[in-house]
Amino acid sequence: MPTSMTMDAAIDALKSAVPNGGRVFVQGCAGEPLALAQALARRPEAATGLTFEGVWIPGVNRTDWAGLHAQARAEAIFLAPEWRDSFRAGQLAFSPLTYTQVWRRLSERPFDVGVFTIAPPDPGGRCSLGVAADFSPAVFERTRFRIGLTHADMPAVRDGPTTPLDAFDVVVEVGTPLPGYGAGLIDPVSAAIAARVAALVPDDATVQTGLGKIGVATLAALADRRGLSIHSGMVTDPLIELLDRDAVNAVTTGVALGSSGLYARVAEDARVRFQPVGQTHAISTLAAIPRFLAINSAIEVDLFGQVNAEWMDGRQVSGAGGLIDFLRGAWASDGGVPVIALPASAKGDALSRIVPRLSCPPSVGRGDPVVIVTEHGTADLRGLSIDARAEALIDVAAPSHRDRLAEDWSAMRRAM
């Protein structure tokens, strides 16, 4: 059984294990090791020669791991404002991968060091991965030197991956707050979009939602349903009410992101189980679920039906993540519905988010038609010709932009 030590002693042990640098897996979501980040910020020389890799979520995980030292590096599948300086300097390597793709990459790569946030051990000496079970199982067995951070606030979930405490080389008891998430006040536009999306969800369906105001508002709007299942990469605070009101029969997720109340509730509720990305996002798993509705947000959609979920003002600001995995699962599901929900305009209606043509690489191509929902209506693009798609999208655009969009489409159509 490994002896518990201080964080500084753990950093010394890490450097002894990789004296010439190496690859370090670092969890994201609620499992991000903030205590390690704080300690390395005090001792930046300890990050020299290290390449950190993990799946860190914009708006949730704010640590710039590559920025800890000029000779540190990081690899990620998202970008966020906090990491932009490292990306600009070439210290952060961004890879445009989906969750299933990065799961495979992590499963095949050996790591010199892995840092894992775990719940305190049970009487049998086993530790739960708690509410952050997404990617750790992919790398655990292929990690040479393992550091376990036992966190009193990380709950031991009833149904989820566990590991023996003695599988770790170093154990540190930590008490920094777990990363959380809050979408903030739900504005009237997001609430209106969520109501339209909820209208697509029948009783007994299986639903996936993402982060952001629309995703959180949509989950909350389902509280009057019955017989729902949630199959999602992550769940947020509105799930508590759905559980309280018996709107859902079963929940399968990789992580929970929200308040300490959410973490405690999903840990003890027998309807909730945690599984790694290899199960939650697998196309074979999703395709076998009838009436699977994948509900995600985007930044803009063009008149061909192409979706941008990653670029803003000419900059990469996010990543594809699980978007493509879940949309493709919904396409393959019997009765499934792939939904993209977004406000029709931005900047006080000065900017339309339904645009003539994307000026960036699409996150979703026109060969993968989806159902677009704005506060002005629903446009089901599946099976439509290009002209019918453009017409349907113009109909759900902000009214002040529809005439211009129609003119732009007419000009583009003549040039085709």
Side-chain angles (χ1 to χ4, degrees):
M1 190 74 68
T3 302
S4 181
M5 60 176 63
T6 66
M7 183 60 74
D8 281 330
I11 291 175
D12 292 337
L14 184 159
K15 293 303 291 182
S16 295
V18 286
N20 299 314
R23 303 187 64 80
V24 181
F25 173 76
V26 175
Q27 282 181 282
C29 295
E32 185 182 20
L34 297 180
L36 175 65
Q38 294 171 3
L40 287 175
R42 296 193 304 268
R43 299 178 53 184
E45 75 287 347
T48 304
L50 298 180
T51 297
F52 299 94
E53 185 170 359
V55 180
W56 309 303
I57 309 299
V60 176
N61 305 124
R62 304 181 186 278
T63 305
D64 180 9
W65 291 92
L68 291 169
H69 192 275
Q71 295 180 34
R73 298 290 183 270
E75 296 186 15
I77 67 166
F78 292 101
L79 282 182
E82 294 87 352
W83 321 330
R84 185 156 294 279
D85 287 345
S86 291
F87 177 62
R88 188 178 294 114
Q91 290 180 246
L92 174 66
F94 167 76
S95 298
L97 301 176
T98 69
Y99 263 36
T100 53
Q101 290 166 344
V102 77
W103 170 268
R104 176 172 293 183
R105 182 170 80 169
L106 292 173
S107 299
E108 295 172 349
R109 281 186 170 182
F111 282 85
D112 298 293
V113 177
V115 185
F116 306 91
T117 300
I118 52 178
D122 65 18
R126 296 196 68 85
C127 301
S128 170
L129 294 181
V131 297
D134 49 353
F135 287 100
S136 294
V139 306
F140 197 85
E141 295 301 327
R142 297 177 63 81
T143 298
R144 180 167 61 87
F145 187 83
R146 304 183 189 117
I147 299 175
L149 306 184
T150 59
H151 200 305
D153 291 338
M154 178 63 82
V157 304
R158 291 173 61 109
D159 189 347
T162 65
T163 185
L165 185 64
D166 60 13
F168 294 94
D169 299 280
V170 168
V171 173
V172 183
E173 294 182 11
V174 297
T176 51
L178 293 175
Y181 176 76
L185 184 66
I186 302 301
D187 58 277
V189 170
S190 296
I193 296 169
R196 289 190 179 276
V197 173
L200 301 174
V201 182
D203 290 344
D204 301 317
T206 298
V207 179
Q208 174 265 328
T209 60
L211 292 181
K213 291 183 184 296
I214 294 174
V216 171
T218 297
L219 193 61
L222 300 176
D224 63 348
R225 300 298 190 277
R226 288 295 176 267
L228 292 181
S229 294
I230 304 295
H231 186 106
S232 194
M234 57 191 68
V235 292
T236 53
D237 274 84
L239 178 64
I240 298 174
E241 183 178 5
L242 270 64
L243 293 170
D244 286 344
R245 296 179 63 169
D246 290 327
V248 296
N249 294 337
V251 179
T252 299
T253 186
V255 302
L257 276 173
S259 65
S260 58
L262 173 69
Y263 297 162
R265 180 58 187 273
V266 297
E268 60 86 20
D269 198 300
R271 289 169 288 182
V272 182
R273 63 174 179 167
F274 286 82
Q275 291 191 331
V277 165
Q279 280 76 50
T280 56
H281 290 65
I283 186 66
S284 57
T285 298
L286 301 175
I289 301 173
R291 299 181 303 284
F292 176 63
L293 286 88
I295 302 165
N296 292 275
S297 300
I299 296 170
E300 59 185 1
V301 179
D302 74 11
L303 295 178
F304 293 100
Q306 299 178 121
V307 178
N308 165 29
E310 306 172 57
W311 291 74
M312 186 177 294
D313 297 328
R315 286 186 170 185
Q316 181 97 35
V317 296
S318 187
L323 173 73
I324 300 299
D325 299 322
F326 285 124
L327 290 179
R328 289 179 176 165
W331 289 318
S333 163
D334 183 12
V337 185
V339 178
I340 294 290
L342 75 165
S345 62
K347 298 184 178 179
D349 201 42
L351 181 69
S352 177
R353 293 177 69 170
I354 307 295
V355 299
R357 189 194 302 267
L358 294 185
S359 60
C360 62
S363 305
V364 181
R366 66 176 184 170
D368 293 322
V370 295
V371 178
I372 302 295
V373 180
T374 75
E375 68 272 31
H376 299 291
T378 300
D380 189 343
L381 307 184
R382 296 173 296 176
L384 298 186
S385 69
I386 58 171
D387 295 294
R389 285 189 190 190
E391 181 179 352
L393 287 163
I394 292 169
D395 284 345
V396 301
S400 61
H401 294 278
R402 291 175 186 172
D403 288 345
R404 180 57 186 269
L405 288 167
E407 293 171 4
D408 289 334
W409 175 252
S410 180
M412 290 190 299
R413 188 66 173 86
R414 288 194 303 270
M416 289 177 67

